[in-house]
Amino acid sequence: PREDGRERFFESLPSDHFTPEEEKLREALLAFLDMWKSRDPPTLSHTGADAEVRRSRALVLPKGTPVSLKDWIDRRMGGELEMVEQEGTGMIYFGHRGTLDAE
């Protein structure tokens, strides 16, 4: 099942640090947030327009990986980033931890 594949993926990663590819994705996501100018927080979909996020995401989460960007952020960057799903739309907003209103 998909859940087993997801757990195997996370178990394959170091528990106390990021892989070099993960570090690139982490830096790309943080840079994306730092450059975000809109008053409203970005959604995970917005990151698809960022070339560096796309490039580094493909290295960490290649096609066929049973892990979504949301899963990866939640499990690997949960201390730095938070996500809020908008009810009814399924859109997932994200930002630095402590910056999102759960409205």
Side-chain angles (χ1 to χ4, degrees):
R2 182 177 160 85
E3 194 59 43
D4 291 346
R6 193 178 310 172
E7 286 312 308
R8 272 197 300 280
F9 173 85
F10 285 114
E11 286 168 6
S12 75
L13 299 172
S15 61
D16 59 346
H17 64 277
F18 291 111
T19 65
E21 295 81 14
E22 284 186 299
E23 190 59 49
K24 283 192 174 75
L25 179 55
R26 177 185 168 274
E27 289 171 6
L29 287 167
L30 294 174
F32 173 83
L33 282 175
D34 290 343
M35 292 185 308
W36 186 255
K37 298 292 184 236
S38 175
R39 198 174 69 78
D40 294 322
T43 66
L44 290 183
S45 299
H46 285 122
T47 64
D50 185 274
E52 192 52 42
V53 171
R54 272 198 325 271
R55 196 169 24 255
S56 51
R57 176 186 178 170
L59 293 173
V60 176
L61 305 170
K63 283 214 181 309
T65 303
V67 173
S68 67
L69 182 60
K70 177 185 183 295
D71 292 334
W72 184 84
I73 289 172
D74 200 35
R75 294 276 292 266
R76 302 293 283 173
M77 288 188 73
E80 293 178 278
L81 300 180
E82 64 183 344
M83 295 174 285
V84 174
E85 188 166 345
Q86 187 178 46
E87 294 216 13
T89 67
M91 288 199 301
I92 299 167
Y93 292 93
F94 80 112
H96 294 283
R97 182 151 291 291
T99 62
L100 295 182
D101 292 328
E103 291 173 17

